Amino acid sequence: MSISANLGFPRVGKNRELKKALEAYWAGRADLASLQETARQLRAEHWNLQKDLGIAHIPSNDFSFYDQVLDTTCMVGAVPSRFQFSGAKVDPDTYFAMARGSAKAAAMEMTKWFDTNYHYIVPEFEDDQQFSLASSKAVDEFTEAQKLGILTRPVLLGPVSYLLLGKMKTPDAQPLEMLDRLLPVYVEVIKQLETAGAEWIQIDEPVLVLDLDAAVAGAFAKAYESLAGARRGLKLCLATYFGDLGDNLDWAMKLPFDAIHLDVVRGRDQWGQAVPLLRQNALLSLGVVNGRNIWRTDLDGVLATIDETVAAIGPERIMLAPSCSLLHSPVDVECEEKLDPAIRERLAFARQKLQEIALLTQASNEGRDAIGSALEASRAVFARQRESSQVHDQAVRERLATLSDTMFSRKSPFAQRRTAQQAELDLPLLPTTTIGSFPQTPEIRKTRAGFRKGSISDAEYTRAMQREIETVIRFQENIGLDVLVHGEPERNDMVEYFGQLLEGFAFTRNGWVQSYGSRCVKPPIIYGDVYRPKPMTVSWSTYTQSLTAKHVKGMLTGPITILQWSFVREDQPRRDTAYQIALSIRGEVHDLEAAGIGVIQIDEPALREGLPLRQAQRPDYLEWAVKAFRLATCGVEDKTQIHTHMCYSDFNEIIEAIAGLDADVISIEASRSDIELLDAFVDYEYPNEIGPGVYDIHSPRVPSIEEMVQLLRQMIDVLTAEQLWVNPDCGLKTRQWPEVEASLQNMVAAARQLRDEVAQQQHKRQQGRNRS
């Protein structure tokens, strides 16, 4: 009989209970016991839900207060020395300090989890890094479920993936050299789980879908031989996801596992390649339901794959599961009572995806007739979608077909534009600015909520937002920022806000997914062709500009970020959807420029995130992604300055594409990486202007003036002062006003000090030239 399984369940709760509990604890409004009780209730609710849906292999240790990679760092005791950890077990204060920083220590670096919008805390390894078991979380949560009468399959991030996801402090050192020191901790945890009564364990090795060399293959062989020796009867499911194994498949299939999970949503054909390599009695777990999107599964199409696999190896050697953890999905579509029924019927969130797994397992075991009514309902939904005028707009498609080459290029090269912009904007050396958003206070959220509910009129709402904007403008003027922003009080989210003003988007009330820690996002749903019915930001920008003589940035979100941070339709190429969005943004850029806005920022923090995991697939993506940005931005005059912003990324991988965007100014998150991220720009000799973040906005810590001065000195050592802008790492939406005020005041003071230093150096050089 085929077995139903799940790889992981959303942690935050369908009403974001975990987010609220975490933020109450961090703010001192709740104690640790209250936070832990909320977590216990969520775990119990989610385990019981999966049990009731008929899932046989239910995961545990998929829950996290912040991030599963950080949990692994705690499990193996790899706490960086600056956190002064010396105990036998990592305590909550140390755990959250590692994630968020503290008054005594800066937070660990954070970056994107493969090609998703989830973020993980990057492990840091010293050259002499030692490992020891410092967290019992995996065993504790297994026994917690056991007491509820639920036998779970504990989940661990695999040792090879864990090391490869980390960073060595010495640049040339290799993380895999530490494998022999790390494996004893995994062996100990596995033995404890087996003693506690676990029958299966799931070890996630997502790096198996990357381009790997022979050294990594050897590390896998060593690691899994060691883990096999630690197990007496405990069975191991090796889980891979986010793509196919490609040329790693042959050697991966030789590893000692009892089941291997393959993503057959993104790696559609790899099951057929794996079947002949599957060892006798080993099980094949098919990831047949998309864990990363919210659309219903084509049951007929999936059953064809299942039938072929059953014919090859028999139903008793098959597990059926989502393609990856459901961490990337909202919890339950039944909460979306107000969503258009024509759209809602096409959706499946975590709960519905597990229902689909249960149905597919039933069909595998009992035949298709056993789920005949579900199959008929599925066919009807897909038929309605194909014929829907709500989905397909002929005018949008005709506009896409008439794009010309000139729409993808600025009128002049950067050097010529720079001269025009200097004359137009008259900015000082090392100009200061922020990334866009300012703190979203309870009053702002209350006003927006009242407006949504209809208790506040349009006029009252506009006046309230204008008051907030004026407050932000006066603050920026008072501290001496050079290029101002309106603070975005009217925006709930940088993607959802624009989606609400574009056609082709739908929105949920409770479609929350975790981005990191307590940060949750509610991605829009792109269900049909996209276009802009009217201007979206012009009135806010022109009002803001009327308040000040300084330049105010128009703030937009770029087409690739809107694409990447939405749940995207699957019935047309992602490129086509990106171009539809780009044309909408292009119209907005044109209207902002016509209204007198001379600096326009189009954020693309998700450009790197969309990069395919395999090198061979990247050129095609980067070509159309860069073209989408240029399509959105290249219709302006030379004197109009185009900015963009990007989040933590390995910029080395995409530096040519970043240059290809041809933005006049790029701001990047850099402070958590000790400005290592600048290396890519230096090595490439990036010609345009750049604003590396000088302080980490993800931490409540206020950096000193001297700290930022030192960082700016490092930047000037590798880039020219004429290239540099001074700004925070990211938007300030999630921060509190006191820390924002103090941090930005220090940032402006640091920039002024550096201006003086540079001016003095230039004066001395000029004097030397005069004497010679």
Side-chain angles (χ1 to χ4, degrees), residues 189-210:
V189 173
I190 287 171
K191 287 181 176 178
Q192 289 184 6
L193 286 167
E194 187 161 15
T195 299
E199 296 179 1
W200 278 89
I201 185 171
Q202 173 184 319
I203 299 189
D204 288 0
E205 291 284 9
V207 298
L208 280 168
V209 303
L210 305 180

Side-chain angles (χ1 to χ4, degrees), residues 23 69 84 136 154 334 350 386 426 451 514 527 670 707 713:
E23 293 178 354
V69 183
Q84 301 178 344
S136 57
E334 293 302 318
R386 286 190 295 271
D426 191 27
F451 182 57
Q514 185 181 24
Y527 68 85
E707 187 178 329
R713 286 175 182 149

Side-chain angles (χ1 to χ4, degrees), residues 68-69 111-120 157 160-162 164-165 204-212 241-243 266 292 328 564 606 608-613 618 648-649 653:
Q68 73 270 15
V69 183
T111 196
K112 295 293 178 69
W113 176 247
F114 293 83
D115 57 349
T116 74
N117 189 32
Y118 178 76
H119 299 66
Y120 74 93
L157 176 61
V160 180
S161 290
Y162 174 70
L164 292 178
L165 290 169
D204 288 0
E205 291 284 9
V207 298
L208 280 168
V209 303
L210 305 180
D211 295 314
L212 303 176
Y241 39 81
F242 299 155
R266 286 187 140 196
R292 292 183 52 174
H328 311 287
Q564 288 296 132
R608 166 63 180 82
E609 179 184 309
L611 197 66
L613 299 176
R618 293 178 176 182
Y648 289 107
S649 294
E653 296 181 305

Side-chain angles (χ1 to χ4, degrees), residues 567-584:
F567 290 123
V568 183
R569 60 190 293 192
E570 297 178 327
D571 62 332
Q572 72 175 12
R574 291 173 71 87
R575 178 202 60 206
D576 291 357
T577 304
Y579 284 4
Q580 290 177 2
I581 301 168
L583 284 169
S584 301

Side-chain angles (χ1 to χ4, degrees), residues 489-630:
E490 81 286 5
R491 303 184 190 183
N492 50 354
D493 175 84
M494 66 183 293
V495 171
E496 183 175 357
Y497 174 80
F498 288 98
Q500 287 172 335
L501 298 169
L502 295 169
E503 293 297 328
F505 285 77
F507 303 89
T508 62
R509 293 172 61 87
N510 287 286
W512 298 99
V513 293
Q514 185 181 24
S515 180
Y516 61 86
S518 68
R519 169 71 169 156
C520 297
V521 294
K522 189 153 56 71
I525 298 168
I526 304 178
Y527 68 85
D529 290 333
V530 177
Y531 63 93
R532 182 188 73 133
K534 61 182 180 180
M536 302 180 286
T537 66
V538 175
S539 62
W540 295 115
S541 292
T542 53
Y543 169 75
T544 308
Q545 188 63 77
S546 74
L547 299 174
T548 180
K550 291 192 171 185
H551 294 284
V552 173
K553 286 193 284 189
M555 300 299 305
L556 305 173
T557 302
I560 299 304
T561 297
I562 291 176
L563 184 84
Q564 288 296 132
W565 291 359
S566 298
F567 290 123
V568 183
R569 60 190 293 192
E570 297 178 327
D571 62 332
Q572 72 175 12
R574 291 173 71 87
R575 178 202 60 206
D576 291 357
T577 304
Y579 284 4
Q580 290 177 2
I581 301 168
L583 284 169
S584 301
I585 300 300
R586 184 185 181 93
E588 189 70 13
V589 169
H590 174 272
D591 288 348
L592 284 168
E593 184 184 50
I597 304 301
V599 183
I600 303 172
Q601 181 169 310
I602 301 95
D603 291 340
E604 283 291 20
L607 180 71
R608 166 63 180 82
E609 179 184 309
L611 197 66
L613 299 176
R614 293 281 187 167
Q615 291 285 347
Q617 299 166 353
R618 293 178 176 182
D620 178 64
Y621 161 75
L622 288 173
E623 180 183 8
W624 63 256
V626 168
K627 289 182 71 174
F629 181 86
R630 293 175 70 118

Side-chain angles (χ1 to χ4, degrees), residues 9-63:
F9 198 81
R11 305 157 182 163
V12 294
K14 63 184 179 182
N15 294 309
R16 293 182 294 161
E17 294 90 339
L18 180 60
K19 170 189 172 66
K20 296 168 187 174
L22 279 168
E23 293 178 354
Y25 173 68
W26 292 335
R29 299 192 306 270
D31 59 15
L32 180 61
S34 175
L35 173 62
Q36 290 173 332
E37 176 58 20
T38 297
R40 186 196 63 77
Q41 291 175 1
L42 284 171
R43 288 192 295 266
E45 177 184 338
H46 297 161
W47 287 327
N48 280 305
L49 182 150
Q50 293 172 82
K51 179 183 177 182
D52 293 343
L53 290 175
I55 302 302
H57 282 208
I58 298 170
S60 62
N61 199 41
D62 55 331
F63 176 86

Side-chain angles (χ1 to χ4, degrees), residues 31 88 173 209 242 260 315 380 428-429 507 536 611 666 694 720 722 763:
D31 59 15
V209 303
F242 299 155
I260 185 167
L429 191 71
F507 303 89
M536 302 180 286
L611 197 66
I666 179 174
V694 296
T720 68
E722 289 74 19
H763 179 67

